Amino acid sequence: VHSYVKEVDPPGPDNFVDTYDVFVPHYIDQLNTLMAADGYHMTAANPGTSALAVSTAIPPLIRQGYSFSLPLTVTNNGPDDANNVNLVQTLAPGITLNDWSGTDWFQTSNTGSILTTRKAGLDNGANSTLTLELTANEAGTWPHTVAYLADESSVATTTLSLEVIGSYRGWSGTLADTSFEGDDDGDGIGNLFEYAVGGDPAAASQAQPGTGLPLLPEIFRSSSATVTLRYLRRTDAAPRGLTYTVQSSPVLDPPEFSDASSLVQATRILAVDDDFEQVENDFATVNAPLFLRIQVHLDESL
């Protein structure tokens, strides 16, 4: 409560101007209730002690070019309530913030790479979750830094590691024709197969950049009784949603391809580099015609 006393005539020791303030504790709860609607809480002159902690559940699979949710749960483990809780998050260059949500959380500022949010308070033992909606623009390992504090605790920082794997969507994003069958470079290899074996969609070449290995499968006689089919495969095919299936057909016109895994007598894996390997499947030679191929399937919805 603010008071003001005006000077009166004639001037004298009892005639003066004075202003003074009196804090009325009865209003604390009402004031905090009003301010909480905007994410604020009255700051105590002698704050207590709180111990904030931040936990999260990072998605097990984050794909380049896809959005994902990152929930951040703030818990007050201290003996006292935590007031004026703040989260300051620094996003990595390869990550874009689309939106965020959380009960009674408010945005203080958002520069694109730094998001600052606040919450009026957390009772002792209570927690609250702020969920970010993000998009991974580039493959790689990206740091996501979270700094958090309250009136009753100093600043603490934790850094999350977001592992983003490559995707067909990211690989084909700059192509004029992004379909599986598209062939912008005109090398006769469709986009999906070129992606699966490590081709360059912008270069008219049937060799893998860097290694010079052929992108198309090879068939050769490895012994008098064995024919071998050799093809390239990504080492991280499973998380990328890629499957490679060996198929066979007795005729080509019209083709009658079906799964040929039961005909494979032996399989060998030959290391190429960190990203690719060569698979060799042995088949017994037969007198009748037998045509072999590799069918690639992609499912990035997992």
Side-chain angles (χ1 to χ4, degrees):
V1 176
H2 179 73
S3 300
Y4 171 73
V5 178
K6 184 179 180 180
E7 181 181 20
V8 296
D9 290 328
D14 297 323
N15 300 330
F16 57 88
V17 174
D18 191 16
T19 62
Y20 58 95
D21 296 280
V22 176
F23 182 70
V24 182
H26 175 74
Y27 294 131
I28 291 178
D29 291 342
Q30 290 95 321
L31 289 171
N32 283 333
T33 298
L34 291 173
M35 291 190 295
D38 293 316
Y40 294 107
H41 190 282
M42 187 176 294
T43 299
N46 296 298
T49 301
S50 65
L52 296 181
V54 171
S55 60
T56 187
I58 298 176
L61 191 60
I62 304 174
R63 298 188 193 278
Q64 178 188 11
Y66 286 83
S67 60
F68 64 98
S69 297
L70 184 66
L72 299 168
T73 300
V74 184
T75 304
N76 177 19
N77 297 314
D80 299 315
D81 295 345
N83 297 309
N84 292 311
V85 178
N86 281 267
L87 286 185
V88 181
Q89 301 182 66
T90 303
L91 280 66
I95 305 294
T96 298
L97 174 66
N98 302 320
D99 200 0
W100 64 270
S101 61
T103 302
D104 295 329
W105 283 94
F106 297 85
Q107 178 177 295
T108 302
S109 64
N110 181 1
T111 65
S113 61
I114 298 179
L115 171 67
T116 303
T117 50
R118 66 179 187 273
K119 185 178 179 67
L122 276 175
D123 294 340
N124 172 30
N127 63 70
S128 182
T129 299
L130 178 73
T131 300
L132 305 185
E133 300 298 332
L134 307 168
T135 294
N137 303 311
E138 300 177 33
T141 301
W142 301 105
H144 182 95
T145 303
V146 184
Y148 49 97
L149 72 156
D151 290 344
E152 294 77 14
S153 62
S154 56
V155 179
T157 303
T158 184
T159 299
L160 310 175
S161 183
L162 304 179
E163 185 71 30
V164 180
I165 68 169
S167 69
Y168 179 81
R169 176 180 290 183
W171 180 88
S172 64
T174 59
L175 300 177
D177 183 354
T178 61
S179 69
F180 289 172
E181 300 78 18
D183 183 16
D184 280 12
D185 54 13
D187 57 11
I189 304 177
N191 286 336
L192 178 57
F193 196 86
E194 192 154 357
Y195 168 69
V197 297
D200 182 350
S205 171
Q206 294 191 353
Q208 190 185 64
T211 67
L213 294 172
L215 298 178
L216 296 175
E218 301 174 282
I219 298 177
F220 57 93
R221 184 181 292 276
S222 50
S223 72
S224 60
T226 305
V227 171
T228 298
L229 173 67
R230 178 192 293 155
Y231 61 95
L232 284 164
R233 181 173 68 186
R234 287 187 179 270
T235 55
D236 60 349
R240 283 179 182 257
L242 285 167
T243 55
Y244 303 68
T245 304
V246 180
Q247 296 183 327
S248 65
S249 174
V251 294
L252 284 182
D253 189 22
E256 299 174 4
F257 282 100
S258 60
D259 192 315
S261 57
S262 62
L263 302 179
V264 176
Q265 294 187 323
T267 298
R268 291 175 298 280
I269 307 298
L270 310 176
V272 174
D273 52 31
D274 291 340
D275 300 317
F276 290 92
E277 59 193 11
Q278 281 187 312
V279 182
E280 289 186 347
N281 293 141
D282 290 342
F283 296 83
T285 57
V286 292
N287 294 326
L290 183 68
F291 301 93
L292 300 172
R293 75 176 185 182
I294 300 298
Q295 185 183 61
V296 175
H297 178 71
L298 176 68
D299 183 1
E300 290 185 338
S301 64
L302 302 178

